[in-house]
Amino acid sequence: MSVSSNRKLFTSVSLGAFALAVSLTLGAPAFAEVPRYALDIPSENAAKALQAFAHQSGVQIMFPYEAAASAQVPALKGQYTREEALKLILAHTALEIASQDEKTVSLRVATKNVPDPVVPDEVVVVITGSHIRNGHPTSPVRTINRAEIEQSGYSQIGDVMRALPENFAGGPNPGVLGANNVNPSNFNATSASTVNIRGLGPDATLVLLNGHRLNNDSLYQSADISGIPLAAVQRVEVLTDGASALYGADAVAGVVNFVLRKDYDGGEASVRLGGTTQGGGFEQTYSLLQGKAWRDAYALINVEYSNQTAIKAGDRAFTREAVPVTDLISPLERTSVFVAAGRDLSDRIKVGADALFSQRDASQDLKYTPTGALYYSARTSPSLSVSTHADFALSPLWSLRVTGGVSQSHNSTRDTVATATTTSRSISYIFNETQYAEATLSGPVFSLPSGDIQAAFGAGYRKDNFQLGHPGGSSYMAPSREIGYAFGELQVPVVSPSADRPGLNSLTLSLASRYEDYSDFGAQTSPKVGFRYEPSRSLVIRGTWGKSFKAPTFYQVYQPQYLYLYPASVLGYTGGGQALYTNGGNVDMKPERSESWTLGADYIPTNLRSLKLSATWFNIDYTDRVVRPITSTVTSLSNPTFAPFVTWSPSLALQSELVSRATTFYNTRNLVYNPSSVVAVAFNNFTNATAQAIEGADVSYRQTFERGDARIKLFLNATWLTIDQKTVPTLPSVQLSGTIFNPSELKARGGINWERGGWSVTGIVNHVDGLDDTGMTPVVRIASWTTADATLVYRFEGRSPFLKGVRVSLSATNLFDRDPPKAFSTARTFTGFNYDSTNHSVIGRTLALTLSKSW
């Protein structure tokens, strides 16, 4: 199918889905409209907000004034039902509805403690983990809100994600060097930032932007998040559970949904300047955000520019033995533009669109040894993601959402390799694109005595395109795949909520399944079941079981075939003769598969709503992982563990097939190829050979205290993790977690935030447990690493028009300037490189000043 016909098909599907939605809407029966009120309430205390709501809606509201006056609530501007408006206002208070009728609402104090405040644009329902409106996901979902992002002191969303205990900083991420020999995914070819939950590889975590799938980046099946402007991020939802039943391929370790601001009314401009105290890494970031929310429409634009200089090995005493010109942190220039707009066409139809454009330009100097070659790379990576959606209210209870869009990235790299006598140059180009269209219908299917069974059903089409190199090049390829899918989800209320049944307040079951048909390797079905049991209003016990899968990457499937001719002795055979050795893609590969379960609990005492405790145990059985199975070329024929991948006495027909299929035939010793002298073929193409067993626990603590007019928040997150891997079936299992360039067994992050008036002070402690340097014989222990961060913020609250909305922030990461712990095995191939760049950072103390003004 040609590109033109593919685009026509994509357009037809999108228009067809939209036409279906319109026809369903026009054919839907009429229903009684829920009154909506045009509200314009500024951000103020809840007492004034309730008075303003009563005046503007004509609804009489009775409430305890002092209890309401102590809570600050967000601005409301637009059209809201009474239920929506009260939900947004009361979310910030200790009040609840005692009684109500058509014209009157009576409120009362529900608890002794005021709930944790929410940033004005944060009052939302978490959606990741369920397609059902206002559903309760049974999977563990962690939300990082706007306040937490600002308190972190970070300026890039990638840094925010790498700090999470559930996430591993390895993979394609800034600063990762010298680690790909141990873990091939630890290679950053394009200065990208990726998410790597549980350290299972960035290709095992699905990344969404406003609920839509982002395209992959570079050769590796992982999305780059470096172009997402931090000022536009409203929140990040992190689902740490397999979720292919809901979202399809790649959601093995979990799903991360970056939710960007949309209906924001106002503007914000900010400037951030920072640098390291040891030298290098000077950073400047400029951002401008402007939004406007009307009664039935919204529009927003955010422009962000960032420039960061390099940190050289010569800038750090810790790497004084390395070649000084080597970049430990590459220089990076980035520009991002995010645009969103939407409109209510009627009370029953809403449409919207958003687009994110970004471009990152980076370069890197790399020299492994003082006498070795100098590698220089210059990279340009523009990307674009555009999505549209239409929401239809088919009845008071049923809704239809139709979405469509395209997401793509281009990676152009110019490489130079210079030795004492020669200089060689090359140019590479990689293109990734995802096109999609989807329709989701949700509502109650029928009623039980315990409540309505809520459902979501959907179907869609996706096409992934990939291009490596340019036509005519030796490694050029441009494959694509088409995916059609359908899914369904049910939430069944087995026991309706009731506080009159001690030990059985409520019980809900969730069922989900997704069918996907791939044009290149067939169909997959992924089921998932879960439960949510509430023994009381304070305690939730939840659990899930499900299956997920990851599609093999285009590079793994369609990489050109390489054939090598060696003397058999080079591969470890002592009987003479010649041997063939293969490398490249494998069109016969199947998806990687996983089976996972979680069991967890959330505790929020009804009489102490400011306290939340959470714990989750997880287990993942991950099989058919794609690897190149022969890890040592020189023992290919002598090591019995590689026996499943060796064919002895290959037939002439097999050799002829290998020669004809090879893109390149390398005669490494200028031998005269004699098929009758070939004693064996070693097959090292990508194949489904590796299995992993992953288990561990996540724990979380949150609590807020009121001390006079000050508010104190304590928080802690920690993850304990073990990963056992069987690289090939004939090898015993080995533990990866807790070893160099793999996730540590324990990673934790906790701190305290103090707020009073316009002041906010945050202190954070980060801990990475010790590791084993398995590259040393005997194994050497790498020390644990603990660092501290601090952020001081002052918000001007005066009445001066010039100072109103001004915010000044001073942040310090790695406050005490701790060097990474020593790790020596890497220095054998990378002189002076004595640390684990995936778990530790050589950046040192970074100080940054941020000045912003909102209006």
Side-chain angles (χ1 to χ4, degrees), residues 341-394:
R343 184 176 179 82
D344 298 349
L345 301 182
S346 70
D347 291 338
R348 299 169 63 182
I349 304 176
K350 299 180 180 180
V351 297
D354 57 71
L356 173 64
F357 167 81
S358 71
Q359 177 165 318
R360 65 184 188 276
D361 297 297
S363 63
Q364 185 176 42
D365 293 324
L366 195 61
K367 196 170 185 180
Y368 290 94
T369 64
T371 59
L374 172 64
Y375 299 85
Y376 171 77
S377 298
R379 308 156 182 163
T380 299
S381 302
S383 64
L384 175 68
S385 179
V386 179
S387 65
T388 60
H389 65 270
D391 295 300
F392 305 88
L394 305 181

Side-chain angles (χ1 to χ4, degrees), residues 530-550:
F531 72 90
R532 181 184 176 90
Y533 164 53
E534 298 185 25
S536 67
R537 293 177 60 189
S538 299
L539 180 63
V540 174
I541 299 175
R542 47 180 167 70
T544 62
W545 171 89
K547 293 186 176 182
S548 297
F549 74 99
K550 186 190 84 66

Side-chain angles (χ1 to χ4, degrees), residues 162 167-170 175-176 179 186 736-747 767-771 782-783 785 787 820-821 835-842:
R162 285 185 287 274
N167 190 58
F168 175 50
V176 174
N186 290 329
L736 294 185
S737 53
T739 65
I740 189 170
F741 300 130
N742 287 296
S744 64
E745 291 184 285
L746 176 65
K747 185 177 179 182
H767 177 78
V768 177
D769 211 13
L771 305 160
I782 303 171
W785 196 49
T787 61
Y835 67 100
D836 179 347
S837 62
T838 64
N839 285 291
H840 313 126
S841 172
V842 76

Side-chain angles (χ1 to χ4, degrees), residues 163-179:
L164 299 182
E166 303 92 334
N167 190 58
F168 175 50
N173 279 302
V176 174
L177 292 171

Side-chain angles (χ1 to χ4, degrees), residues 753-765:
N753 170 254
W754 174 88
E755 294 180 345
R756 181 180 179 183
W759 290 99
S760 173
V761 181
T762 304
I764 297 174
V765 175

Side-chain angles (χ1 to χ4, degrees), residues 485-505:
Y485 59 88
F487 57 87
E489 180 185 1
L490 296 175
Q491 285 195 358
V492 183
V494 179
V495 179
S496 60
S498 174
D500 298 329
R501 292 188 302 267
L504 188 57
N505 182 60

Side-chain angles (χ1 to χ4, degrees), residues 194-233:
T194 59
V195 185
N196 192 350
I197 294 178
R198 310 296 184 211
L200 301 186
D203 54 352
T205 298
L206 178 63
V207 176
L208 307 177
L209 183 69
N210 287 336
H212 307 300
R213 179 183 289 256
L214 277 181
N215 64 276
N216 299 320
D217 184 74
S218 187
L219 291 178
Y220 304 97
Q221 192 163 309
S222 57
D224 171 57
I225 63 172
S226 66
I228 299 175
L230 195 65
V233 177

Side-chain angles (χ1 to χ4, degrees), residues 13 19 68 121 132 231 260 325 461 501 587 589 650 777 825:
V13 171
D121 57 29
I132 294 173
L260 306 190
V325 298
Y461 164 85
R501 292 188 302 267
V587 295
M589 275 193 304
T777 305
S825 63

